[in-house]
Amino acid sequence: MESISRISSMLETARDLTLEAARDASYIRKTSTRVLPAAQLKKLLDSRSDRDVLEGLRKVITMTHRNQPTLPYFSSVIKNIASPSLEIKKLVYIYLLHHAEAEPDTALLSINTIQKSLTDSNPQLRALALRVMSGIRVPVISQIVSLGIKRGAGDMSPYVRRAAALAIPKCYSLDPTTLPQLLEYLSTLLGDKQYFVAGAAVAAFLEVCPERMDLIHPHYRSLIRKLVDMDEWGQLATLRLMMIYARKCFPRRTRRVKKSSSNTNDTATTKTTKGFYDSDGSSDDDNPSHTTEEIVLLDPDLDLLLKSCTPLLQSRNSAVVIAVVRCYLYLGNSTYLDSAIGPLISLLRSGTDIQHIALYNIVQVCLARPEPFAAHYTHFLVRSTDAPHIWRLKLELLTLIFPHAPARLQSLILAELSHFSRSGSQDPGLVREAVRAIGRCAQSSATSPRTSARCLRLLLAHIGSADAHLVAESLEVIRHLIQRDPGAHRTTVVRLAKHLDAATSAQARASIIWLVGEFAGLDPENNIAADVLRILVKGFSDEAEAAKLQIVLLAAKVYVHYLNANPPPDPVPQTSQPQDAASLLSGFEEEGGFRDTELAKEVPHQGHKEAEKPHPIQALYHYVLLLTRYDTSYDLRDRARVYRALLATPSSTQLASLLLLAPKPVPQTPSPSETRKGYTLGSASLVVGDEGGVGGLRGYEDLPPWVEEGKEPDSRLRDEAGGPGKEYEPGRRETASEKLDSAIGVGRVVDTGLAPKNTNGIKERSLDDWLAEDKEESEETEEETEEEEESTEEEEETESEESDDEGEGDRLVK
């Protein structure tokens, strides 16, 4: 019992403490978020107590993040920059970064204090000071910023070196004349052994001097090895740089070889072709396995880049995944690209905004290589919750993979499209897009005739729909299908003509009339064009303008076919308007046409003789011309006047045939994203399309072309300066001696662009080589001094002998 009471008392005590802590936290939260008056806030900033100053700075920074005006407190905040408190200094630097550009003169007063912070023992404070100094947009301090970058580039802490790399573009934009110095620092930072320093250096390189590829040669392989350890921003910058570098430094090499159907090559992109002299039906030796393929030969350094990108496909950042797919699409081969399809599809599980961008990039890849996407068709099925911009891209993807899908999958896709093409409660835009998708599936060159026939049946089922827009869209697609193979769709034209009475849409009626007139001459014995014209003429005045235009065109085509079949024997020109209107009308009345008694009374009979009855086709043609003469549409009247002048004389019949009966080009319905095919994968212009202007959005840069064979730089330039023993290993920590060497700049090659380039691929000498060379030089100097001493002794001996000989000669003379 005592233990139970003790436990209950402890629980009550813990509950009381929790409630008290919650009340204190609530009070602190309320007081921290409360906006103080300006006078009270300035009083806190001017206080001598570090606690009050810290509280005031926190209030000011909070107001800054909430986009509230804090510029009036600038002088009160800056005076605390010399505070010994580290927390106060950090907050002052953060405030200075936001407002240094608005108050440059006052910010200059703190330069000396910031310079002193560059030598502080805290690396975070040194990095923040360098960041603040480069953020003050005053050209006068450009040289001071350059010296700060130089000191930061050789700092022991990688955080400071990273801040120095990020400060290089700011210093360059501040004063472009500092470029030679900045290139020296940038070359040092590109070879840094820390991956996050190298990533920031690559980003600075792309902003300052993206054309100086000679600075990348000695660091190419080390940057690729660090790629997997970089942060996401560094990976994006490095992949972008390597795309440009590979295009400018690795030529595109291909080779054509024989391919067997059972053979697969893991490092080649294949393209099956026929020989120039091969027959259409068979290849050489009648063996289908003997085809040729074009394989892509990858450079070893380029293959190293593509292999190093493979782990990045598992990145949590969608931009990194798309950047890797871009490298595989424009640099690699089909093997690498196929391995990236799965991670690219997995982006569709993200939010709507990322899903939208991912779909545009998936469509771009699918236009280049649609075969691997057929296995992932379930991700492209339209859901009821999809927005219009999502289901449009999904329908486009279904049509792209349709020709490369098996028969079972093609049947499933058509069933999906047929479901959404039915007029009902769905979005009308979805219905139209589904109908167009069925048409694209049927028009694909790889689609079998059986599948095309099924697509046509699905479209013909919509002709009797009450939805005028659905009928018009279906007829437009059917017209394109009939034009592709007119001989196989004669019965289809007859079936469409029977629906003229039920069709109410002007565009739908115009499409049917055009089809009847276009294919009137395919089967002259079973031609229904004249009969259709006879029926349409009765209600000509009630038709819409689009249908009237097609009726006039149909009358002209039927009349041209009649003239070609029955050339007139008399070469005398005949007017298009009949001379005897009464006989014309009497002949037309026998055919069940319209009776115009008033016009018959106005035109007198010539000699009271019974005129010869014209042919019914002639009567129909001239009657249509009479109807259009008094129509309200000037376009229709002008069109009829052209046909009348063109068919007035028999000599112009051939010209009229060329004009009216010329074969029309087969219409092509490309994918809606074909217009975006020229934009680079992963770019914003790919998403915006032509709405961004000609050539994409401002700042868009296309990929450079491949370098020509023989003009690429020497591969020995990419040999690392540190030798094979100092290669970067992912996950390996630097030792203290290596950090010291990297800090003082041992083993680094700096190229500012002013010195002559090292084009011989000679490696840099290490410290041992320099010491050995100094030892050899010292030995050589010792040998030279010994030889000089021996030579001087010999000279002295010879001089002494000569002097002795002279003395003996003098004695002999004496």
Side-chain angles (χ1 to χ4, degrees), residues 594-670:
F594 180 78
R595 293 180 174 85
D596 193 351
T597 56
E598 297 297 326
L599 183 60
K601 292 177 181 179
E602 293 177 3
V603 180
H605 293 279
Q606 298 179 0
H608 301 282
K609 295 181 180 179
E610 186 178 357
E612 183 181 356
K613 293 181 180 181
H615 193 274
I617 292 180
Q618 288 180 317
L620 284 171
Y621 171 68
H622 293 300
Y623 183 64
V624 170
L625 294 180
L626 287 173
L627 292 174
T628 56
R629 175 178 292 183
Y630 303 104
D631 196 88
T632 57
S633 174
Y634 61 87
D635 190 14
L636 186 61
R637 297 195 302 268
D638 293 344
R639 190 78 59 91
R641 192 177 296 114
V642 170
Y643 296 152
R644 181 186 298 112
L646 188 62
L647 298 173
T649 57
S651 59
S652 61
T653 304
Q654 186 177 3
L655 178 61
S657 300
L658 292 175
L659 181 63
L660 298 175
L661 305 180
K664 307 300 187 296
V666 178
Q668 300 292 336
T669 309

Side-chain angles (χ1 to χ4, degrees), residues 197-215:
V197 178
V202 170
F205 174 85
L206 290 174
E207 293 188 34
V208 175
C209 54
E211 72 284 348
R212 288 291 305 273
M213 292 299 164
D214 55 297
L215 297 178

Side-chain angles (χ1 to χ4, degrees), residues 448-470:
S448 62
R450 183 178 178 182
T451 306
S452 298
R454 182 183 176 185
C455 295
L456 185 60
R457 287 195 301 271
L458 291 175
L459 295 172
L460 288 173
H462 300 152
I463 300 301
S465 175
D467 189 353
H469 297 287
L470 174 60

Side-chain angles (χ1 to χ4, degrees), residues 568-574 648-651:
D570 189 7
V572 179
Q574 300 178 0
T649 57
S651 59

Side-chain angles (χ1 to χ4, degrees), residues 538-581:
K538 295 179 180 180
F540 183 83
S541 59
D542 299 329
E543 296 283 354
E545 183 179 354
K548 286 181 180 180
L549 289 171
Q550 295 302 325
I551 291 173
V552 174
L553 180 60
L554 175 62
K557 288 181 178 180
V558 170
Y559 188 53
V560 168
H561 282 299
Y562 167 75
L563 293 178
N564 291 333
N566 305 292
D570 189 7
V572 179
Q574 300 178 0
T575 59
S576 60
Q577 184 176 352
Q579 299 295 329
D580 194 353

Side-chain angles (χ1 to χ4, degrees), residues 424-484:
S425 59
Q426 290 96 350
D427 185 5
L430 177 58
V431 174
R432 288 193 296 269
E433 288 296 329
V435 171
R436 293 172 185 171
I438 293 175
R440 290 198 299 269
C441 291
Q443 294 180 27
S444 177
S445 58
T447 305
S448 62
R450 183 178 178 182
T451 306
S452 298
R454 182 183 176 185
C455 295
L456 185 60
R457 287 195 301 271
L458 291 175
L459 295 172
L460 288 173
H462 300 152
I463 300 301
S465 175
D467 189 353
H469 297 287
L470 174 60
V471 175
E473 195 67 40
S474 301
L475 282 173
E476 188 72 16
V477 177
I478 290 172
R479 180 174 66 85
H480 292 172
L481 295 178
I482 293 176
Q483 283 186 260
R484 295 177 65 87

